[in-house]
């Protein structure tokens, strides 16, 4: 947040010059009465001055929260400092923080808002690790303002190129944008400070009656799972089982030594299915290596680099053939998405990904798995064979009609 705000203040209000020059000037003028120079405080002042001048007080509050979080200030510390008390963790840093709080002249309402942000969520919950919508808006709106500025200055000598803005924009949109099917990332500032050793995953009904999956970051041993909400708030809720499992893996919440208590009272899923899928997801996306987008990737059209395909997940009775497929896809910009397709569409889409990779000469890694509850090992072979047959058919069109026959029925 602070760095993005600094970038915007540099580009859209460059009259004050760079912070490094201001720092040099202050060092050269240092006298005995100066209480020291803190580059981080200077950065905060520069950025919040810019947003305050433009009437963006919500952004100012977010930046102050980010600064206090970076400085390791807890809600308890903030409460003590506001009352003029010295917290137990008192040191020179805390004394400087105390002076800053006096300068900010916070109202009780703004102080409470800061405390909630430091706790990890605007709603005040310390157990929520998903993205904050206001933070999303901050990054994306800042990018839009910078992008508009780039277009406005046109061919003038710019401090940042259009290619730089393209790379920056795509990184931001991959991380902060939200759309159907996308798996969100946990913000580092909201992630648990220590690895979580136990989870509980249950399915419940929402207020509207929709089936949902609730994840808790502790084991509900000896408790009635149906009263889980009376104990704590879920750290995240999804309507798709595979999405919540994949979310745990790509955000490094689940590891092979993590304990997961699973209960599904309404849906045809088993603990064995869940354990199998988690291990396969971890092996494919983590152990086998992820994907680090290059500058060239961000400047090019995104392409699928990894495809994880699950046959018949959630099907109540196995018909001995692929009926549908869940696809978890990682693209060259680093974005994870989920789609469920009917069998024919799944075969066609997977074959297209594989063929595009062969044509472009760029890598595409594919894995097909079947839930153990399906009790039909031939599903994986069927899916792989159908995909390869489609590709082969495209290479050798029908001699009479000169058209490709997609042999996927």
């Amino acid at each position: 947040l602070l760095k993005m705000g600094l970038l915007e203040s540099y580009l859209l209000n460059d009259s004050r010059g760079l912070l490094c020059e201001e720092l040099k000037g202050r060092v050269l003028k240092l006298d005995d009465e100066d209480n020291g120079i803190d580059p981080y405080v200077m950065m905060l002042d520069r950025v919040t001055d810019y947003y305050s001048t433009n009437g963006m007080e919500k952004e100012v509050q977010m930046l102050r929260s980010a600064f206090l979080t970076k400085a390791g200030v807890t809600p308890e510390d903030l409460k003590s400092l506001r009352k003029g008390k010295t917290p137990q963790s008192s040191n020179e840093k805390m004394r400087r923080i105390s002076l800053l709080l006096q300068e900010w002249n916070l109202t009780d309402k703004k102080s409470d808002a800061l405390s909630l942000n430091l706790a990890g969520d605007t709603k005040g919950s310390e157990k929520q690790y998903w993205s904050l919508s206001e933070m999303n808006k901050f990054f994306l709106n800042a990018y839009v303002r910078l992008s508009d500025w780039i277009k406005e200055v046109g061919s003038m000598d710019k401090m940042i190129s259009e290619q730089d803005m393209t790379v920056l924009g795509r990184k931001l949109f991959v991380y902060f944008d939200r759309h159907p099917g996308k798996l969100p990332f946990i913000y580092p500032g909201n992630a648990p400070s220590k690895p979580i050793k136990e989870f509980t995953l249950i399915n419940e009904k929402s207020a509207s009656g929709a089936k949902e999956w609730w994840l808790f970051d502790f084991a509900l041993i000896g408790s009635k799972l149906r009263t889980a909400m009376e104990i704590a708030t879920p750290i995240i809720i999804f309507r798709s089982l595979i999405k919540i499992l994949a979310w745990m893996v790509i955000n490094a919440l689940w590891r092979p030594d993590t304990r997961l208590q699973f209960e599904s009272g309404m849906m045809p899923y088993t603990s064995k299915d869940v354990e199998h899928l988690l291990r396969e997801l971890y092996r494919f996306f983590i152990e086998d290596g992820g994907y680090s987008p290059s500058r060239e990737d961000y400047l090019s059209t995104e392409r699928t680099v990894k495809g994880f395909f699950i046959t018949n997940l959630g099907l109540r009775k196995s018909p001995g053939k692929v009926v549908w497929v869940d696809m978890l896809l990682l693209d060259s910009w680093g974005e994870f998405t989920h789609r469920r397709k009917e069998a024919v569409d799944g075969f066609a889409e997977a074959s297209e990904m594989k063929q595009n990779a062969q044509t472009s000469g760029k890598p595409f890694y594919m894995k097909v798995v079947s839930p153990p509850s399906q009790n039909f090992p031939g599903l994986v072979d069927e899916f792989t064979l159908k995909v390869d047959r489609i590709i082969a058919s495209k290479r050798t069109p029908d001699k009479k009609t000169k058209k490709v026959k997609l042999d996927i029925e």
Side-chain angles (χ1 to χ4, degrees):
L1 281 167
L2 289 165
K3 289 178 180 178
M4 188 67 181
L6 183 62
L7 176 62
E8 183 176 1
S9 67
Y10 273 163
L11 296 180
L12 275 63
N13 183 27
D14 60 355
S15 59
R16 293 182 60 177
L18 300 176
L19 268 178
C20 59
E21 297 300 330
E22 183 180 336
L23 178 61
K24 290 176 186 177
R26 289 185 59 176
V27 169
L28 292 174
K29 295 178 181 179
L30 194 64
D31 55 39
D32 294 336
E33 296 181 0
D34 200 306
N35 194 32
I37 300 172
D38 188 321
Y40 244 108
V41 174
M42 289 177 60
M43 176 170 69
L44 178 68
D45 289 341
R46 170 71 69 90
V47 176
T48 52
D49 285 349
Y50 166 75
Y51 285 107
S52 291
T53 301
N54 288 277
M56 303 163 73
E57 289 303 318
K58 182 182 292 185
E59 284 77 2
V60 171
Q61 287 296 95
M62 291 185 67
L63 290 162
R64 286 174 174 171
S65 295
F67 174 84
L68 295 176
T69 300
K70 181 71 176 176
V73 178
T74 66
E76 292 74 22
D77 291 335
L78 183 62
K79 186 176 181 180
S80 297
L81 291 170
R82 280 272 295 160
K83 292 181 178 180
K85 299 179 181 179
T86 304
Q88 293 181 352
S89 57
S90 179
N91 50 33
E92 179 60 28
K93 179 175 71 175
M94 283 299 175
R95 285 189 281 274
R96 297 292 294 274
I97 296 294
S98 180
L99 292 173
L100 275 178
L101 292 174
Q102 294 176 30
E103 292 177 14
W104 295 347
N105 193 26
L106 298 174
T107 63
D108 289 340
K109 184 177 180 180
K110 288 184 178 180
S111 179
D112 290 343
L114 279 179
S115 293
L116 293 181
N117 288 342
L118 292 176
D121 184 77
T122 51
K123 297 178 181 177
S125 170
E126 298 180 351
K127 294 289 186 179
Q128 296 185 354
Y129 306 136
W130 57 76
S131 62
L132 305 182
S133 59
E134 291 301 323
M135 198 181 294
N136 285 14
K137 293 177 184 177
F138 176 92
F139 280 102
L140 299 181
N141 289 341
Y143 172 77
V144 170
R145 289 190 294 269
L146 291 173
S147 182
D148 289 344
W149 176 84
I150 288 286
K151 295 175 183 176
E152 183 178 337
V153 298
S155 60
M156 294 171 57
D157 184 29
K158 300 186 286 285
M159 290 179 281
I160 183 170
S161 70
E162 291 186 21
Q163 284 191 335
D164 290 333
M165 285 300 297
T166 297
V167 172
L168 173 63
R170 287 177 175 171
K171 284 184 177 181
L172 290 174
F173 277 87
V174 163
Y175 207 74
F176 297 105
D177 189 32
R178 297 291 178 263
H179 57 73
K182 180 173 179 175
L183 296 178
F185 291 106
I186 297 174
Y187 298 162
N190 279 20
S193 57
K194 297 180 181 179
I196 302 173
K197 296 182 179 180
E198 296 179 316
F199 287 97
T200 297
L201 179 60
I202 66 175
N203 61 283
E204 275 286 1
K205 288 185 178 181
S206 67
S208 63
K211 296 177 181 179
E212 298 177 332
W213 292 96
W214 295 356
L215 184 68
F216 299 87
D217 55 354
F218 57 88
L220 290 171
I221 299 174
S223 303
K224 292 183 178 180
L225 295 180
R226 289 291 169 257
T227 61
M229 284 293 286
E230 298 175 7
I231 301 172
T233 301
I235 63 172
I236 198 163
I237 297 173
F238 278 96
R239 291 192 176 180
S240 162
L241 174 62
I242 189 58
K243 284 184 70 174
I244 203 168
L245 298 180
W247 179 85
M248 293 171 69
V249 170
I250 69 171
N251 283 293
L253 292 181
W254 187 92
R255 306 172 312 282
D257 61 346
T258 305
R259 177 182 175 183
L260 177 67
Q261 181 180 349
F262 174 77
E263 181 194 330
S264 174
M266 298 185 294
M267 301 182 182
Y269 303 108
T270 68
S271 296
K272 192 174 182 180
D273 284 344
V274 169
E275 182 180 350
H276 178 71
L277 291 172
L278 281 170
R279 293 190 179 280
E280 292 296 329
L281 285 165
Y282 186 86
R283 186 176 294 116
F284 185 64
F285 287 115
I286 307 300
E287 284 186 343
D288 292 348
Y291 188 81
S292 298
S294 65
R295 181 179 175 83
E296 179 185 354
D297 285 325
Y298 285 121
L299 293 173
S300 306
T301 302
E302 76 274 23
R303 68 184 191 283
T304 304
V305 295
K306 279 198 165 190
F308 188 91
F309 303 90
I310 310 156
T311 60
N312 294 0
L313 178 62
L315 199 63
R316 292 186 179 275
K317 186 177 180 181
S318 177
K321 67 176 183 178
V322 178
V323 177
W324 64 57
V325 58
D326 284 271
M327 303 186 293
L328 289 166
L329 310 173
L330 169 62
D331 69 27
S332 55
W333 292 356
E335 184 176 60
F336 288 87
T337 55
H338 165 263
R339 294 198 289 271
R340 170 171 282 192
K341 296 283 186 177
E342 296 296 323
V344 172
D345 294 333
F347 298 147
E349 195 162 337
S351 67
E352 185 177 0
M353 295 174 197
K354 194 171 181 178
Q355 190 170 34
N356 286 343
Q358 293 171 353
T359 302
S360 66
K362 295 183 178 179
F364 169 67
Y365 303 96
M366 174 176 168
K367 187 175 185 66
V368 185
V369 300
S370 176
S373 63
Q374 287 295 306
N375 196 28
F376 190 77
L379 294 176
V380 172
D381 291 337
E382 179 193 351
F383 187 91
T384 305
L385 179 62
K386 290 289 179 66
V387 169
D388 289 340
R389 288 175 70 179
I390 293 174
I391 295 174
S393 297
K394 290 181 178 180
R395 290 174 179 164
T396 55
D398 185 90
K399 293 181 180 180
K400 295 181 178 180
T401 64
K402 305 297 182 181
K403 294 182 180 180
V404 174
K405 180 182 179 182
L406 300 185
D407 185 9
I408 57 179
E409 294 299 330

